[in-house]
Amino acid sequence: MSAPRGAVATPATLPVWTAAADAIDLLKRNPITLAGAAVIVVIALVGLAAPAIAPYDPLTTNPADALRPPGAGHLMGTDEFGEDIWSRVLWGARIDLAIALGAVVVALVLGCVIGAVAGFWGGWIDEVAMRSMDVLQAFPSFILAMGIAAALGPNLRNLILAIALINVAVYARLMRARLLVVKHALYATAARGAGNPPWRVLLVHLMPNCLTPIFVQSSLQSGWAILTAAGLSFIGLGVRIPEPEWGVMVAIGVARITVGAWWVSFYPGLCIALAVMGFNLIGDGLQDLLDPQRR
Amino acid sequence: MLEVQDLTVTFHTGRGTVTALHGVDLTLPTGRVTGLVGESGCGKTVTALAVMRLLRPPGEIRGGRVLLGGQNLLALSEREMDRVRGARIAMIFQQPRASLNPVFPVAAQLTHVLRLHRGLSGRAAWAEGEALLARAQLPRPERVMRAYPHQLSGGMCQRVMIALALACRPSVLLADEPTTALDVTVQLQIIELLKSLQQELGLTVLLITHDLGLVAEMCDFVSVMYAGRIVEAAPVSALFRRPLHPYTRGLMASRMRAGSRALPAGIPGRIPDLHQMPAGCPFHPRCPLAQGLCAERDASPETVDGGDPAASGAARMVRCHFWGRGVA
Ligand SMILES: Nc1ncnc2c1ncn2[C@@H]1O[C@H](COP(=O)(O)OP(=O)(O)OP(=O)(O)O)[C@@H](O)[C@H]1O
Ligand SMILES: [Mg+2]
């Protein structure tokens, strides 16, 4: 036997702590994942601290200070309304991460439930669920998101819902595919034989065995959600001007790039790129992190 | 006592419906070990799964009764059955590692069943889990608790499975070839463990195996299965002294004997495909005693006297038209 890793712990030690220690250990051996995680953690911290660290109110206009280049008073310059870009970028971290998190959580929960139920019970339930997913996926996703956002009305909540809905099918398919494999595993029969009712076999014994590809996907999708949110906001179907959302900020600045005011769009654009990259890097490393065999 | 009466199981396959169990009768006397032997594919696992009602489509129980303490398990609702599984009857499987959940450490799996049937949680469940592992003679139970299945050897996994199976103090244990996947030395240890636990807890055990040596070692009674039928049932001593069914005799002859250089005699031919069951007695194409009658109709079970004063009262059953011929 290869002895279980980690110090011999007393029964009082919670499994949660050993799991956390494992995760930190693994991050240390994966510098790329660590870099991705660091980027996202920094963005999250900045977003949380925005009210405290932003030098200006993100929505206070000051026509006298319009379109200042990056410099002493305004680290990243100002936009055409004289709003401080640095302050708005900080507040944007908060909004964009909330969109990513919200959209992914909603899509993941909905998709996992649909996929799990479809895969586990099969038959007509499976047919109905998966044909609905086919319908969702029959549209180009950005167009569908545009449609949903336009129908629901442009605001933050509806933006999150629209992005979530177009992704439900992705999670549902991943979950169903994995479940079709694991439901025939001997440990599922063993769990049933230990007296677990079917729903508990599904929830407690099978679904945790399906989550690795789902989590990997959700990390990649978080980056993608930010891109979509920015895209929708850019065309006016998401968060509206003058909210400090990165996509909106890029939209405000595009008209001014030709007159040389590159900074208005550049900094929020850079943030979008950084966040998307961060999530993608995490996604790659998550595969290793979540697989107990590779620990 | 667990009694299986006339259990019939079918599988619906692409090539039609096949009958995997043909009216199987089995009696597991309380506190005793009953062996179920037969070649691969004869229906041993299906029998155990059907008793637990764990068969999944395309498998279907078409008839019969499974009586546990006078209660017919096949008549219970699924919810009632959930309180029987694990708590009154437990099962361990041929592939110990595959029957443990790969994403959870042993502790999670043990505490989960302890909460399910015995309402234990937190420290109490943890302590009981360790005690169960210790009882399954796992060294360093506190470490094993934290291990994932892939960090344990096959033998250790089977010990963990035994601990899990016994966690909720079932009275009946169905052991489906518990040692087949293990090294010979480990097999012996697991058998010793099962034996001592069985005696200590007074368990009623069904030991599925194709190893007659193991039957001789562990069992009190034995049923021999061929193509989904019980062809002979007897107390172990009587069966070994005087096997009645030609199939049982073939099995005995195909055992490797220590010290003998001759290849075992074996049984000619193979177990029939369920889709192409021969008419009459399913064993007749391979049987040295077969006659015209055997191809026409199957024999019915016949109760015979053991012919052995020591085992008087212990009736035995044989299912063969011509069992009397060729018996020494
Ligand atoms: N899901 C299934 N679909 C169709 N037939 C099945 C299925 N499961 C089992 N069978 C059939 O039932 C018969 C009995 O199988 P079973 O697994 O009980 O054999 P066994 O005696 O346990 O053999 P082994 O010693 O190899 O474990 C086999 O002939 C097999 O073909
Ligand atoms: Mg088997």
Side-chain angles (χ1 to χ4, degrees):
Chain A
M1 170 207 172
S2 59
R5 284 186 330 102
V8 178
T10 60
T13 316
L14 286 167
V16 172
W17 290 117
T18 47
D22 272 359
I24 291 170
D25 205 50
L26 216 98
L27 281 178
K28 279 195 211 141
R29 284 183 280 139
N30 280 303
I32 295 190
T33 316
L34 188 62
V39 168
I40 299 304
V41 166
V42 166
I43 294 178
L45 288 179
V46 162
L48 283 176
I53 59 177
Y56 295 89
D57 183 282
L59 296 173
T60 302
T61 56
N62 182 0
D65 256 353
L67 289 178
R68 293 277 163 111
H74 299 282
L75 205 54
M76 293 180 177
T78 61
D79 62 18
E80 63 187 273
F81 311 110
E83 296 166 325
D84 179 51
I85 303 214
W86 168 238
S87 301
R88 286 169 61 76
V89 159
L90 296 180
W91 279 88
R94 175 178 268 238
I95 297 182
D96 281 81
L97 275 195
I99 292 171
L101 202 70
V104 164
V105 167
V106 171
L108 188 142
V109 170
L110 268 179
C112 282
V113 169
I114 292 172
V117 166
F120 192 63
W121 274 286
W124 67 267
I125 298 179
D126 189 21
E127 280 300 314
V128 171
M130 294 329 283
R131 292 303 76 79
S132 320
M133 295 301 108
D134 286 347
V135 171
L136 270 184
Q137 287 196 311
F139 299 94
S141 61
F142 192 77
I143 310 285
L144 182 62
M146 279 170 62
I148 297 173
L152 296 175
N155 64 40
L156 186 63
R157 197 199 65 198
N158 293 344
L159 178 66
I160 290 176
L161 269 181
I163 298 173
L165 279 177
I166 58 175
N167 281 317
V168 167
V170 173
Y171 296 104
R173 273 185 213 292
L174 276 176
M175 181 50 106
R176 176 175 175 275
R178 272 295 288 164
L179 208 81
L180 287 180
V181 175
V182 299
K183 79 170 178 179
H184 295 294
L186 189 56
Y187 60 81
T189 306
R192 192 89 180 87
N196 291 284
W199 64 266
R200 192 148 48 198
V201 173
L202 174 63
L203 200 69
V204 178
H205 296 269
L206 293 181
M207 283 175 75
N209 274 285
C210 306
L211 291 179
T212 301
I214 302 259
F215 282 147
V216 172
Q217 188 65 30
S218 68
S219 179
L220 303 177
Q221 295 277 335
S222 302
W224 184 87
I226 289 183
L227 270 183
T228 311
L232 286 172
S233 300
F234 184 87
I235 58 174
L237 284 173
V239 183
R240 306 296 287 269
I241 294 174
E243 288 295 321
E245 192 275 334
W246 294 337
V248 172
M249 294 165 69
V250 174
I252 293 174
V254 269
R256 306 288 163 173
I257 292 176
T258 45
V259 298
W262 52 271
W263 57 88
V264 183
S265 290
F266 176 77
Y267 291 110
L270 186 68
C271 289
I272 294 173
L274 271 178
V276 172
M277 188 191 72
F279 278 122
N280 286 354
L281 292 183
I282 294 179
D284 295 336
L286 221 49
Q287 182 80 40
D288 296 335
L289 187 68
L290 294 172
D291 184 355
Q293 314 265 354
R294 292 216 231 161
R295 286 186 192 163
Chain B
M1 180 148 101
L2 182 91
E3 237 180 316
V4 175
Q5 297 173 346
D6 200 25
L7 185 64
T8 300
V9 167
T10 59
F11 284 95
H12 306 279
T13 69
R15 292 159 61 203
T17 301
V18 294
T19 308
L21 297 187
H22 263 276
V24 165
D25 294 314
L26 265 183
T27 303
L28 311 187
T30 305
R32 299 304 193 88
V33 182
T34 305
L36 181 60
V37 293
E39 281 166 290
S40 188
C42 70
K44 305 182 297 291
T45 299
V46 169
T47 304
L49 290 176
V51 166
M52 295 282 279
R53 284 182 47 189
L54 287 175
L55 275 179
R56 290 204 251 192
E60 191 190 344
I61 298 176
R62 295 299 278 268
R65 306 203 295 167
V66 176
L67 299 174
L68 177 65
Q71 193 177 29
N72 182 8
L73 299 186
L74 300 188
L76 296 182
S77 70
E78 270 301 320
R79 297 184 82 205
E80 290 168 325
M81 197 60 207
D82 282 334
R83 288 196 291 273
V84 172
R85 294 188 193 108
R88 293 172 64 197
I89 310 183
M91 180 163 174
I92 55 180
F93 299 88
Q94 199 165 341
Q95 301 92 2
R97 195 189 311 275
S99 43
L100 292 168
N101 198 325
V103 300
F104 294 117
V106 168
Q109 317 199 25
L110 268 169
T111 52
H112 180 75
V113 292
L114 288 169
R115 175 161 33 225
L116 192 63
H117 290 294
R118 286 171 60 186
L120 294 180
S121 60
R123 301 245 170 120
W126 189 284
E128 177 67 12
E130 271 192 21
L132 285 161
L133 292 180
R135 180 165 234 184
Q137 293 166 18
L138 277 153
R140 312 260 247 144
E142 72 286 350
R143 278 192 163 223
V144 178
M145 282 294 265
R146 292 173 189 290
Y148 287 86
H150 71 93
Q151 295 171 317
L152 301 172
S153 69
M156 294 179 93
C157 284
Q158 194 58 291
R159 286 176 194 273
V160 170
M161 267 316 287
I162 291 171
L164 272 169
L166 299 182
C168 300
R169 303 172 181 150
S171 56
V172 180
L173 178 68
L174 310 180
D176 186 5
E177 310 201 35
T179 60
T180 308
L182 305 174
D183 291 343
V184 182
T185 47
V186 182
Q187 285 188 3
L188 285 176
Q189 295 165 7
I190 296 288
I191 289 304
E192 285 304 318
L193 172 68
L194 278 176
K195 223 160 130 179
S196 72
L197 286 173
Q198 187 271 330
Q199 277 161 11
E200 195 180 320
L201 305 172
L203 285 172
T204 304
V205 175
L206 177 69
L207 180 68
I208 295 176
T209 177
H210 41 235
D211 180 352
L212 282 171
L214 188 55
V215 170
E217 171 100 350
M218 265 203 79
C219 299
D220 303 300
F221 301 93
V222 58
S223 289
V224 181
M225 189 171 228
Y226 186 80
R229 295 157 178 83
I230 303 292
V231 294
E232 178 162 11
V236 164
S237 55
L239 186 99
F240 277 87
R241 194 169 312 119
R242 214 166 67 102
L244 299 184
H245 197 284
Y247 178 63
T248 315
R249 275 178 255 153
L251 279 183
M252 298 254 187
S254 52
R255 270 201 297 165
M256 283 278 191
R257 279 178 203 286
S260 156
R261 281 169 180 258
L263 275 178
I267 309 172
R270 283 194 287 127
I271 195 159
D273 182 350
L274 287 181
H275 289 280
Q276 292 153 16
M277 266 301 149
C281 169
F283 187 57
H284 85 261
R286 305 169 72 186
C287 181
L289 304 181
Q291 302 196 8
L293 174 64
C294 301
E296 280 164 29
R297 67 188 168 80
D298 198 1
S300 34
E302 200 175 321
T303 306
V304 294
D305 176 23
D308 174 3
S312 64
R316 43 191 306 188
M317 184 281 277
V318 62
R319 191 167 177 172
C320 174
H321 296 297
F322 303 109
W323 64 268
R325 304 190 188 180
V327 174

